[in-house]
Amino acid sequence: QVHLVESGGGVVQPGRSLRLSCAASGFTFSNYRMHWVRQAPGKGLEWVAAIWYDASNKYYVDSVKGRFTISRDNSKNTLSLQMDSLRAEDTALYYCVRHREDYPYFYMDVWGKGTTVTVSS
Amino acid sequence: EIVLTQSPGTLSLSPGGRATLSCRASQSVSSNFLVWYQQKPGQTPRLLIYGASTRATGIPDRFSGSGSGTDFTLTISRLEPEDFAVYYCQHYGTSPPYTFGQGTKLEIK
């Protein structure tokens, strides 16, 4: 069974840092691009960051560039998101998501249950 | 950056009815990169349709996707109680950003 399990969420003050992790199992993690997607309370889905199979490419939504860093450890089947200089608007449920390619199609096929980040003083 | 606009914001229908959800892109996109997800309250999003019209594994055939260019549609032909949820379209191209529409809430009338 393919599983993605996020951890590391919590309540943090504005300006502080938090590191999210995602443990992957049931598939060859190193063969897949991975994403973080977030959902603010009562709001829609927002793509946050992506990382290529070997971490050779990393991409971010404009609102987190320079503050968030996505990384992965293929030896430990783990995806991470280091979040610095957190703002109230970063408050959301953060999902770890797997990329899938069925040429010529791309899509997000497996989602974790998410971990909640609350930025509040 | 491609912006996706979904309409209506909320759709109220009865079980057994037919739902038509729209997703409009701010510029022409390849249908290969148009994806639909379903999210039920308190649950994780679920992949429904990719490539604008290909159903994901396990998705019932009452769900269908169509469209090209800037206009895409998700149709649910015979609404079941479990279909009432929020639906998101996404442009998932060869490079980011991988934008989502704002969602359409399908509610029971």
Side-chain angles (χ1 to χ4, degrees):
Chain A
Q1 275 281 33
V2 175
H3 282 297
L4 298 171
V5 180
E6 303 91 338
S7 61
V11 180
V12 62
Q13 293 180 328
R16 304 298 292 266
S17 299
L18 207 58
R19 186 177 182 87
L20 306 184
S21 295
C22 170
S25 61
F27 64 102
T28 304
F29 180 69
S30 59
N31 286 353
Y32 291 83
R33 299 182 198 176
M34 297 294 296
H35 300 270
W36 289 99
V37 174
R38 68 184 178 184
Q39 186 168 34
K43 302 297 184 183
L45 301 171
E46 180 183 37
W47 170 77
V48 175
I51 186 167
W52 262 221
Y53 322 89
D54 56 357
S56 58
N57 289 295
K58 302 176 184 181
Y59 299 96
Y60 304 90
V61 68
D62 284 348
S63 59
V64 310
K65 282 180 183 174
R67 300 188 300 119
F68 289 13
T69 302
I70 189 171
S71 61
R72 65 190 298 160
D73 185 338
N74 287 341
S75 68
K76 296 181 179 178
N77 294 339
T78 301
L79 177 72
S80 297
L81 186 68
Q82 176 66 38
M83 304 186 295
D84 299 324
S85 303
L86 281 161
R87 305 168 179 168
E89 54 265 35
D90 296 319
T91 294
L93 180 62
Y94 284 74
Y95 294 105
C96 170
V97 186
R98 188 177 79 168
H99 161 94
R100 182 69 183 266
E101 285 184 35
D102 283 332
Y103 185 82
Y105 309 119
F106 301 152
Y107 46 90
M108 297 176 172
D109 70 334
V110 179
W111 297 62
K113 293 188 182 303
T115 186
T116 299
V117 173
T118 302
V119 184
S120 174
S121 55
Chain B
E1 178 180 329
I2 294 169
V3 176
L4 299 177
T5 302
Q6 294 187 239
S7 61
T10 301
L11 184 58
S12 300
L13 293 170
S14 301
R18 179 184 182 93
T20 303
L21 287 66
S22 172
C23 176
R24 177 162 290 177
S26 58
Q27 58 187 275
S28 183
V29 302
S30 167
S31 58
N32 289 345
F33 304 142
L34 199 289
V35 187
W36 289 93
Y37 302 90
Q38 176 195 63
Q39 187 177 33
K40 297 179 182 179
Q43 295 189 19
T44 292
R46 177 173 74 146
L47 174 68
L48 281 181
I49 301 277
Y50 60 90
S53 60
T54 302
R55 281 187 301 276
T57 302
I59 302 302
D61 61 6
R62 64 180 182 272
F63 290 89
S64 63
S66 63
S68 63
T70 60
D71 292 307
F72 298 88
T73 301
L74 174 69
T75 301
I76 313 170
S77 58
R78 299 169 305 279
L79 286 166
E80 298 286 344
E82 62 267 27
D83 298 337
F84 292 91
V86 179
Y87 293 84
Y88 296 95
C89 61
Q90 182 194 31
H91 177 251
Y92 194 173
T94 55
S95 61
Y98 305 109
T99 52
F100 291 91
Q102 81 278 19
T104 289
K105 181 180 180 182
L106 177 59
E107 64 177 25
I108 298 177
K109 187 173 183 180

